[in-house]
């Protein structure tokens, strides 16, 4: 009986915890990709670094980034009534310490790439 109570208590505690939104650390910046019903902006890699898999060969929508000039490889997943389309994009950014950047994307007029922008 004690083990059931312990398991239920731990489960209740675990489920009751809320995750806090990520914030930029004082010496880094934070990129947060748009995740709406129309587009999901995923961070692929920063400069010539490793691909930023978030688990199970999926790209994530957030990444910490060092201060300074960077070229960030982006993948945008656009959702249409007929399905989804992935388009590559690039974000050139000068990161300031402690800033959080909201990264958004839209399809180019020819539909061949994602036009990416970032706002604080």
């Amino acid at each position: 009986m004690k083990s059931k109570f312990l398991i239920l208590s731990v489960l209740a505690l675990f489920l009751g915890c809320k995750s806090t939104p990520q914030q930029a650390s004082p010496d880094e910046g934070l990129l947060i990709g748009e995740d709406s019903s129309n587009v999901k902006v995923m961070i692929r890699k920063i400069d010539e670094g490793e691909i930023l898999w978030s688990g199970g060969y999926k790209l994530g929508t957030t990444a910490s980034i060092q201060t300074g000039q960077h070229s960030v490889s982006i993948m945008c997943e656009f959702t249409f009534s007929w399905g989804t389309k992935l388009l590559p994009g690039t974000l050139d950014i000068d990161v300031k310490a402690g800033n959080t950047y909201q990264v958004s994307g839209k399809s180019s007029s020819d539909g061949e790439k994602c036009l990416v922008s970032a706002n604080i």
Side-chain angles (χ1 to χ4, degrees), residues 36-57:
S36 67
S37 60
N38 297 329
V39 64
K40 182 175 184 178
V41 176
M42 298 169 286
I43 296 121
R44 185 170 180 272
K45 64 182 183 174
I46 299 171
D47 298 321
E48 294 301 318
E50 300 279 325
I51 295 177
L52 302 174
W53 300 114
S54 67
Y57 295 105

